[in-house]
Amino acid sequence: AAPRSELLHRIRPRGGSSFWDGCARSGSHQVALSLLAVACVGLLERCCFSQTAFSMLGRASWAEIEKPPVMNSPVFSLATLGPDGKTNMNILTYASPVGIRPCRVWAISLYRGTKSHENFVARKTGVLQLMREQHKELIFLLGGQSGRDLDKAAGCADRGFGWRQGPGQDEELLLPGCEAYYRIVLDGALFNAGDHDVAMCRLERVFKEASEGGSGSSDADGG
């Protein structure tokens, strides 16, 4: 009879053959069955331990909720230009950076049928304005009403936030006092999101009012 070490070596699969093929060639069915029995015992011990450990952890109870919790998300206003050259603004919370290299990419979601959606799709660019708490009086004016029905620029001016010319000529007017301003450009097709369309956008520039301190602007790779 062959030594045990040699026998185990002989039943090891070779050249892609299965374990049982190796056993058949060596005639070592008894050894193979013994090894299989040992493996099964080990597997049963693991299963028993896992179930015991699971029972020690206890079972949690779960319940559906009617509404998801309110999230503390940044609030933006998207400034866009219409075909008449006039600025429109909305309130936008569906906005987030989603990529860094080779260029910074943002995703925004626009409600269909609005002037902001129409303007952004037509010109493929706009300015995201990161609002501050001081702008809270503008939320309903910019986000709860349509620019087709009232003059949002006049409404903001009446509340002490008259729109100002941005850093470039023939560009959107901007809200004063925002934390930062993000020039975004549509990059590709829109994605259907039910009553919204999701736009993947390239971030071209980030800037702020010089009176707020700092350099006043940065390119898209700088932050």
Side-chain angles (χ1 to χ4, degrees), residues 2 5 10-11 61 69 87 125 158 164 169 193 207 221:
S5 58
R10 287 169 57 188
I11 66 174
S61 59
T87 297
T125 187
D158 291 342
R164 301 176 183 176
Q169 295 296 322
F207 55 94
D221 291 330

Side-chain angles (χ1 to χ4, degrees), residues 67-120:
K67 294 182 179 181
V70 177
M71 295 184 293
N72 186 15
S73 302
V75 178
F76 297 90
S77 175
L78 177 64
T80 57
L81 277 182
D84 56 0
K86 293 183 178 180
T87 297
N88 184 71
M89 295 188 190
N90 70 349
I91 293 297
L92 187 67
T93 56
Y94 297 157
S96 177
V98 294
I100 299 176
R101 296 286 184 269
C103 63
R104 293 184 180 269
V105 178
W106 279 59
I108 65 172
S109 188
L110 298 170
Y111 192 71
R112 290 202 195 100
T114 61
K115 288 190 68 176
S116 293
H117 183 286
E118 178 183 317
N119 292 347
F120 190 80

Side-chain angles (χ1 to χ4, degrees), residues 162-178:
W163 298 357
R164 301 176 183 176
Q165 181 62 52
Q169 295 296 322
D170 301 322
E171 292 186 354
E172 302 86 353
L173 299 179
L174 302 176
L175 274 176
C178 289

Side-chain angles (χ1 to χ4, degrees), residues 134-152:
Q134 66 189 23
H135 297 108
K136 62 185 178 182
E137 298 299 327
L138 307 179
I139 298 300
F140 179 73
L141 171 65
L142 299 180
Q145 304 176 83
S146 172
R148 297 188 178 96
D149 302 326
L150 79 163
D151 188 339
K152 292 186 176 183

